[in-house]
Each structure stands twice: as C-alpha cells, then as structure tokens.
C-alpha cells in the first residue's frame, strides 16, 4: 500500500493541489493504521523504534507544537500579528487573533509536514529488514523511471499534463512530466537518478574485476553493464536524461553535486579496501555518461546556461523574493508570520510591482524561517540533520547494507542544494519520496543485532499510553485532511473561474454563479475560499445582505487578503462610507504594489476620492495611469469609467496631457458607435 501511495503521489501535479495533498494525507493515515494494527499487540516494538530515534522525534514534535501555538487564539495579545487588530477595527467587532496571519494555511502546512514525518516513520519501520529496504528502493527507481519515460512521451507529442487536464495546447520548451514546474520534476528525477546509480554501482562492486590489468577491467565492465547490470544501467540513463532534458540549472547541478558526494563516499570505501582503480573507473564512466547524455538531451539546459552568460549571473526576481523573506524574518524572527503564509505576507513586503503571483520565496530555508520563526525552523532542520548524522555514523560502524544510508545522504544533498534556489520540497510528491529515502537510510543505520527488542524497554513501557501516542498522529491528520479534501475538490472544480477572477478577466454571469455554488461547499474556516465565493456572488449582483456575511466570515479568518478588503469597501460604500474608506485603506496598506489589484484599487478608490489622504490620492492616480498605459489592463477602462468618480479620476490621471485625453474621448465615442 505504501509503495502504491508513492507511485500515485507525483501524478496529480506532484500532489500540489488542495484535494490531492489532502488525499495523500488520508492515504498515509490509512497506511499508518495498517502498520499500527500489525504492532498493536506488541507496543514494545513501537517503543523500541522510538528509543533509537527519540532525539529527532522530540525536535520535530517541538517544531510542530509551535505550529499549533501559531494558530491558537489564546496566546498573549502581544504575540498576535497587528493585522488582526486592524481587521477588528475595520469590521467593527472583535476578531480572534493569532500569531499566524492565515491560520488555515498554517494548519494545512503543519498537516503536510506531519504526514511527511509519518511517511518517514513508516519507511523506517518497514525497512528494518534489508530485503524490504531493497524492495522499497527498487520500487522508487521503477516509479521514477516510469515518470521520466512519461515525460519524454508527453514532450514527443508537444504537450504537457496541464494541456491534458485543463485544455490548451503547447508545452513550451520545458519537460516537466506530471509536475507543473520543470525544476520540481528535475528534483524528482534526480532522486530516481541517485537511487538507480547507487544500485548500479553496488551491483558492480563485486562483479567488476579490478586487479588483473586494464584489459580484464574493461572486459568485466562490458560484461557487467550488458549482463547483470543492464536494468540498472537503463534506469540510470533514463532518469539522468530526464534531469538534463528539464533544462533546470539548479536541478541539474544539485543532482550532479549529490552524485559527486556518492562518488566520494564510494571512493573512500574503495581506498579502504585498496581498490583505487574503482574510483577512476566509476568517475570516468559517470563523466562520460553525463557528457553523452548532455549532448543528446541538453539543448534546453544549454540555452538556459547561455542566457546566464548573456544576462549575467544575477537573478533579480529571486533576489527580490529573498529580500522580502529577509524582511519578514527581521519583523518576526521568533514568532514568525505563520507557517505557509509567504504568499499572503509577500504583498506587505514587496517593493516592486510585477505581473505575477508571488507564492514562493524560491528558497525553502528563508521561507520556512519567515513563516515558522527561526527557533521552530531550526528545530525541524535539526531533526533532519540528526537523521542524516545517523546515516553518516552507519557508514563507519556498519559493514553491510551501507547502500541505504549512502542514498539517504545523497538525497539530502540534492534536495538541500536545490532548496537554496527553488521550492521542490514544497511539492508533496517530492517530500514524500525524500522522507521515504531518509527513513529507509535511518532504518539501515543500525546493526542487525540492534533490531532485537530490548527486554527492559518492554518491561517499563505503558502499553496503553504507547498505543494512544502512536494513534494520535493519525487522528490529527485525518481530522485536518478530511475537510480539506472536500474543500479542495470544490476549489479545483471552480478553479477555471476563480483563476480568471484573480486576474480580473470578465466572464459570463453563469460562470460566476456556478463558481459561487461550488465554493459554498468549502470549509468556512478557509477564509480565502469564502472571499472568492463572496466575490463571485458580488459579480452576479447578488444582494448585499447575502454577500456581506460570507465576505465578513472570510475576512475574519484571512485578514491579509487585500482583495477581500477592496471588495468589502465596494460592498459597504453606500451604507457605511466611513467603514468603506477604512477597508480601502487597509487593502492598500496590505498590498500597495500588487499588480492584479490595480483595477480593484481604482474601482474601490474612485468613489472615495474625497475621503482619501493626499498620499492615497497620489497612489490612486498612479494606478489609474497604469490602467491607461498597460495593454493588459486597458480593457478594464470601460469599467473604471462607469463607476462613480471614475471619469473624474481618469481626467486627473491625464492632467497635463489634454491631447491624450481628447484621443481617449474619441476612441470611446467610436467604440460606442461601433465604428
């Protein structure tokens, strides 16, 4: 069952959708319950496994415990983010305040991290026996290679999985397989490459003759590669070809770095066993294979490297995202802004306007620290480091089955390097695969003799407490994942409409009606979904009395939604102008440079002109000029002119340019006359 989950996880876009990651969580819970049933009568086995890993387990539990505090409303008032008080002042009533600016997102990310920890534990418990560890490793290789082959098939037809699921045509130049992002697929294929390469080298360790001259060496290499080693060779070639073909610079170099670490570890064992030729043989073979595959599949990667040479090594977009994350850490170094809230917090820290949704920091370490706070982030990373240290120690103490700790170390190097530049570990399929490899490595870091149950452990443990503690993670994850699965399905069905709503693309009224109906099935605790539902209702001109409670519920749970406050401003403008102005001010305060909020800001601000401060007026005129001059926004001009105060605002934006204003008037007249 566990292997089936690992096989399914990459297919629905890396399980990076609300419904798909919730489904993965529920499946892991089911697998956990099956494992728990197998040891229910022998709880001492659970305690014995914990006794070997209690330090990283404790660190992880402390980190996840902080997540629980981040969404708790009973924390001291001084710990809560100031945004909650601003929301309460604007809504006119008290709002439960938390450390996190988006409790739903923080709880969701905590659920996912707990699921990965459960997957690591399942791999750890399953792979204690070397034969089961080998089955698990080979299964991961086969799964990874199948997806690599699938990626090449899609590329040969010039399509992507996005085209198949959502329609459209053209896959671009990136090979991404079942993932949306080619960098994420590069990481996944890189993990498959590590596993396949390790199996290839391990099997050849005893099959290739080293000490009887170069001719004998070459003959034994050929015999091995085209005999016993051919499955592993083919797996390695397909997997590493997929990595190169993605064109991911960070993914390719992270995989190369991980392979180099594996080569260095293998070289150390070869020197210890007086097999110096083994190092040169494997090294030259690896270099030759990568060079040949690069020539065959590396055209996209070569173009990207050339782009670096032409434009320099700076990546201004990533630097901008990193600087924003650093400012978040500076503002809340201990408490954090809430795990998983980077996308919500980014507009408050952005200093540049770009026509993009910035949902990731492209550096997992900075994003983790910005959301979780430095102490909790260090606890979680510390747990991983301790697990890796166990694998390193195993290389010195164990004489058999070193393959699994070596693969775990290599996988950590790969995802660790790539996490400096991208967000692959935020793809559930990749984190699940990595957790499995790490758990498998830790399981094989203990000697066979250490697997026997400690009699003293069996004597002192409380069986009921042990069973309850082991059952608790499944209860927590199941309780969180169930509602999120239902909400995720509803949001996935409404996504074609909500995506266009977020980019201010007009649609027929029937689409908004359908979206509002679908979003009515989402959880009321998901404030962002409720805000989208309220917007869809407002677009079909539903009664304000129907829209208001939905929107208010959303803002009470997601006060960092600038879009929600701008909608609230428009909704209350006629009944409570003062509250409408407060909502507008809060929306512009939260996201003054959000590109896709330019039109909503203009639509909400134009009727409130007389209430705006001088700075707010300047920003509003600048937004209006952006609407007039940006070809992607100019289609909204008609809507701006029809709103109260819109025509006067456009006139102010054209101040000092009377000829341009006359040209606009002529163009609008021709449009009305159909000329």
């Amino acid at each position: 069952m566990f292997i089936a989950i690992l096989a399914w996880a990459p297919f629905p876009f890396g399980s990076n959708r609300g419904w798909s990651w919730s489904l993965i969580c529920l499946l892991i819970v089911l697998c956990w319950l099956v494992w728990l049933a197998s040891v229910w009568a022998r709880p001492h086995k659970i305690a014995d496994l914990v006794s070997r890993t209690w330090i990283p387990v404790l660190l992880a539990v402390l980190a996840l415990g902080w997540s629980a505090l981040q969404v708790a409303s009973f924390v001291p008032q001084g710990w809560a983010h100031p945004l909650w008080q601003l929301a309460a002042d604007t809504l006119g009533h008290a709002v439960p305040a938390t450390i996190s600016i988006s409790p739903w997102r923080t709880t969701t990310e905590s659920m996912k991290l707990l699921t990965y920890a459960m997957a690591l534990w399942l791999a750890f418990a399953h792979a204690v026996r070397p034969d089961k560890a080998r089955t698990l490793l080979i299964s991961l290789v086969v799964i990874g290679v199948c997806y690599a082959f699938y990626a090449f098939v899609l590329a040969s037809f010039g399509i992507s999985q996005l085209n198949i699921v959502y329609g459209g045509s053209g896959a671009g130049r990136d090979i991404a397989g079942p993932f949306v992002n080619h960098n994420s697929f590069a990481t996944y294929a890189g993990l498959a490459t590590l596993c396949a390469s390790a199996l290839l080298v391990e099997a050849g360790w005893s099959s290739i003759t080293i000490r009887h001259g170069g001719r004998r060496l070459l003959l034994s290499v050929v015999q091995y590669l085209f005999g016993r080693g051919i499955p592993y060779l083919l797996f390695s070639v397909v997997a590493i070809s997929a990595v190169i073909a993605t064109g991911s610079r960070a993914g390719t170099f992270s995989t190369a770095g991980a392979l180099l670490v594996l080569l260095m570890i293998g070289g150390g064992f070869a020197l210890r066993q007086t097999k110096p030729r083994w190092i040169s043989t494997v090294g030259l073979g690896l270099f030759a294979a990568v060079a040949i595959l690069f020539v065959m599949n590396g055209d996209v990667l070569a173009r990207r490297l050339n782009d670096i040479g032409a434009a320099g090594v700076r990546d201004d977009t990533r630097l901008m995202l990193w600087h924003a994350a650093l400012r978040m850490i500076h503002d809340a170094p201990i408490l954090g802004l809430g795990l998983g809230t980077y996308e919500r917090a980014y507009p408050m820290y952005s200093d540049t306007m770009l026509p993009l949704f910035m949902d990731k920091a492209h550096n997992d370490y900075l994003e983790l620290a910005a959301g979780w706070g430095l102490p909790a982030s260090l606890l979680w990373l510390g747990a991983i480091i301790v697990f890796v240290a166990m694998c390193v120690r195993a290389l010195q103490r164990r004489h058999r089955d070193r393959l699994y700790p070596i693969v775990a170390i290599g996988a950590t190097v790969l995802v660790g390097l790539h996490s400096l530049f991208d967000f692959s570990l935020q793809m559930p399929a990749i984190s699940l695969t990595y957790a499995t490899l790490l758990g498998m490595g830790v399981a094989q870091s203990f000697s066979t003799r250490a697997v026997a149950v400690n009699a003293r452990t069996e004597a002192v443990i409380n069986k009921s407490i042990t069973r309850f503690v082991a059952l608790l993670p499944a209860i927590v994850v199941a309780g969180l994942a169930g509602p999120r699965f239902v909400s995720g399905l509803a949001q996935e069905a409404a996504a074609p409409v909500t995506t266009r709503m977020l980019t201010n693309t007009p649609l027929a009224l029937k689409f908004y009606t359908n979206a509002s109906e679908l979003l009515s099935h989402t959880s009321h605790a998901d404030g962002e979904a409720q805000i989208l539902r309220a917007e869809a209702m407002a677009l079909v001109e539903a009664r304000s009395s129907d829209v208001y409670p939905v929107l208010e519920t959303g803002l009470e749970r997601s006060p960092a939604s600038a879009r929600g406050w701008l909608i609230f401003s428009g909704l209350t403008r006629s009944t409570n102008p003062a509250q409408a102005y407060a909502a507008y001010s809060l929306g512009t305060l939260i996201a003054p440079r959000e590109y896709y909020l330019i039109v909503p800001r203009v639509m909400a601000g134009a009727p409130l002109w007389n209430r705006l401060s001088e700075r707010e007026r300047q920003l509003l005129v600048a937004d209006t000029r952006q609407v007039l001059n940006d070809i992607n926004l100019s289609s909204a001009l008609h809507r701006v002119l029809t709103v109260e105060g819109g025509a006067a605002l456009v006139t102010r934006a054209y101040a000092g340019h009377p000829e341009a204003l006359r040209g606009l008037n002529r163009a609008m007249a021709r449009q009305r006359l159909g000329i």
Side-chain angles (χ1 to χ4, degrees):
M1 181 187 296
F2 186 59
I3 293 173
I5 297 172
L6 295 173
W8 161 256
F11 185 72
F13 302 109
S15 292
N16 192 38
R17 295 289 189 275
W19 69 270
S20 56
W21 68 51
S22 300
L23 178 60
I24 288 294
C25 292
L26 291 172
L27 291 174
I28 290 295
V29 166
L30 182 59
C31 199
W32 182 272
L33 293 176
V34 171
W35 166 75
L36 193 56
S38 69
V39 296
W40 190 260
R42 297 164 292 172
H44 56 270
K45 286 197 170 185
I46 303 173
D48 190 62
L49 292 174
V50 172
S51 69
R52 285 180 262 162
T53 57
W54 70 270
I55 294 178
V57 168
L58 177 61
L59 295 175
V61 168
L62 290 174
L64 290 170
W66 179 249
S67 296
L69 276 179
Q70 283 190 319
V71 300
S73 58
F74 56 76
V75 296
Q77 187 64 33
W79 290 16
H81 195 277
L83 195 56
W84 294 99
Q85 186 58 51
L86 293 174
D89 294 341
T90 304
L91 293 173
H93 60 77
V95 174
T98 62
I99 295 170
S100 172
I101 61 174
S102 180
W104 178 267
R105 285 179 177 247
T106 297
T107 308
T108 299
E109 290 303 310
S110 303
M111 172 193 74
K112 289 156 67 176
L113 290 180
L114 180 54
T115 300
Y116 305 148
M118 292 168 68
L120 186 152
W121 184 268
L122 289 172
F124 173 52
H126 179 80
V128 168
R129 287 175 45 184
D131 58 329
K132 290 189 175 182
R134 190 169 192 83
T135 300
L136 190 56
L137 182 61
I138 292 175
S139 298
L140 285 173
V141 171
V142 172
I143 294 167
V145 169
C146 287
Y147 278 115
F149 183 74
Y150 172 65
F152 284 121
V153 171
L154 291 178
S156 67
F157 286 101
I159 59 174
S160 70
Q161 187 161 295
L162 277 172
N163 304 144
I164 298 173
V165 176
Y166 297 112
S169 60
R173 65 184 188 178
D174 297 334
I175 293 179
F179 293 83
V180 174
N181 188 284
H182 67 116
N183 294 306
S184 300
F185 182 57
T187 302
Y188 184 76
L191 292 173
T193 299
L194 284 182
C195 297
S197 301
L199 286 169
L200 177 68
V201 173
E202 185 228 20
W205 187 268
S206 58
S207 301
I208 297 176
T209 304
I210 301 292
R211 301 181 179 179
H212 299 289
R215 183 176 179 181
R216 179 61 179 165
L217 171 63
L218 180 61
L219 180 61
S220 63
V221 168
V222 172
Q223 287 177 334
Y224 167 67
L225 292 179
F226 293 96
R228 178 188 173 193
I230 195 167
Y232 302 134
L233 176 63
L234 292 176
F235 290 159
S236 301
V237 168
V238 173
I240 200 169
S241 295
V243 173
I244 296 171
T246 61
S248 170
R249 299 174 299 229
T252 301
F253 291 122
S254 298
T255 301
L259 288 172
L260 180 61
V261 168
L262 261 62
L263 181 62
M264 293 171 61
I265 294 173
F269 289 129
L271 288 174
R272 190 184 303 177
Q273 298 180 21
T274 65
K275 292 184 177 182
R277 285 191 180 184
W278 181 255
I279 306 173
S280 57
T281 301
V282 175
L284 288 173
L286 179 62
F287 177 80
V290 171
I292 293 170
L293 294 173
F294 182 85
V295 171
M296 296 172 61
N297 303 289
D299 55 331
V300 176
L301 179 60
R303 285 198 300 270
R304 293 186 183 275
L305 294 175
N306 289 334
D307 291 343
I308 292 180
V313 297
R314 287 174 57 87
D315 186 336
D316 290 335
T317 302
R318 275 188 172 85
L319 290 175
M320 178 184 68
L321 296 170
W322 296 347
H323 288 159
L326 288 170
R327 289 194 291 273
M328 295 176 199
I329 296 170
H330 179 268
D331 281 357
I334 306 300
L335 301 177
L337 299 177
L339 181 64
T341 60
Y342 181 85
E343 182 179 5
R344 281 286 129 239
Y346 175 78
M348 293 187 281
Y349 292 88
S350 171
D351 54 13
T352 306
M353 184 182 292
L354 292 175
L356 299 168
F357 290 109
M358 301 300 187
D359 58 342
K360 302 288 191 296
H362 285 260
N363 183 305
D364 284 338
Y365 306 106
L366 291 178
E367 187 170 340
L368 195 69
W372 223 351
L374 289 172
S377 302
L378 292 174
L379 286 171
W380 186 262
L381 293 175
I384 296 175
I385 290 171
V386 173
F387 277 131
V388 174
M390 291 178 177
C391 296
V392 172
R393 184 183 62 180
L395 301 183
Q396 302 171 341
R397 296 187 174 185
R398 295 213 65 184
H399 299 288
R400 295 184 300 172
D401 302 312
R402 290 170 172 154
L403 170 69
Y404 309 101
I406 290 174
V407 170
I409 294 168
T412 303
V413 171
L414 195 162
V415 299
L417 289 175
H418 204 183
S419 292
L420 290 169
F421 305 100
D422 275 304
F423 48 86
S424 294
L425 277 179
Q426 295 186 51
M427 301 298 108
I430 293 175
S431 286
L432 206 62
T433 302
Y434 170 62
T436 301
L437 291 172
L438 185 56
M440 185 170 54
V442 172
Q444 288 300 313
S445 295
F446 298 94
S447 67
T448 306
R449 290 186 299 273
V451 175
V453 176
N454 190 319
R456 287 177 297 177
T457 301
E458 183 176 3
V460 300
I461 65 168
N462 185 304
K463 295 182 179 181
S464 298
I465 293 177
T466 301
R467 289 170 179 149
F468 173 75
V469 171
L471 187 60
L472 188 60
I475 296 173
V476 172
V477 172
L480 295 174
R484 282 163 174 77
F485 178 66
V486 176
S487 290
L489 288 175
Q491 292 186 66
E492 182 71 16
V497 178
T498 55
T499 301
R500 288 166 175 79
M501 286 166 50
L502 293 173
T503 56
N504 310 303
T505 304
L507 295 170
L509 294 182
K510 64 179 182 180
F511 293 109
Y512 299 127
T513 302
N514 184 49
S516 65
E517 175 61 29
L518 288 169
L519 293 172
S520 67
H521 299 291
T522 58
S523 171
H524 285 193
D526 185 355
E528 294 173 40
Q530 297 309 306
I531 291 170
L532 284 172
R533 179 189 170 198
E535 182 175 4
M537 294 170 67
L539 288 170
V540 295
E541 301 178 354
R543 291 180 302 177
S544 297
S545 58
D546 293 332
V547 179
Y548 187 91
V550 177
L551 183 57
E552 185 180 42
T553 297
L555 291 171
E556 287 173 348
R557 290 157 175 78
S558 184
S561 173
R563 191 178 194 90
W565 291 115
L566 295 174
I567 298 169
F568 189 83
S569 175
L571 192 67
T572 57
R573 184 177 67 243
S574 59
T575 57
N576 192 336
Q579 189 178 37
Y581 168 65
Y584 173 81
S585 296
L586 182 53
T588 54
L589 176 68
I590 292 172
R593 298 178 183 85
E594 183 73 19
Y595 177 83
Y596 289 109
L597 290 182
I598 291 175
V599 173
R601 282 197 300 266
V602 172
M603 298 286 288
L608 299 170
W609 177 266
N610 293 331
R611 291 180 173 270
L612 303 185
S613 67
E614 185 59 32
R615 179 179 177 277
E616 289 171 334
R617 289 178 177 181
Q618 292 174 0
L619 292 174
L620 185 58
V621 170
D623 281 340
T624 307
R625 291 196 184 108
Q626 186 84 2
V627 172
L628 297 171
N629 298 325
D630 191 323
I631 190 172
N632 295 316
L633 301 176
S634 58
S635 60
L637 181 58
H638 178 73
R639 282 185 287 155
V640 172
L641 291 171
T642 57
V643 76
E644 179 188 342
L649 184 56
V650 171
T651 302
R652 293 185 183 97
Y654 272 126
H657 303 279
E659 189 58 40
L661 182 58
R662 284 192 289 271
L664 174 63
N665 288 331
R666 288 192 294 269
M668 297 298 292
R670 285 195 297 269
Q671 184 178 358
R672 284 195 300 269
L673 296 172
I675 301 175

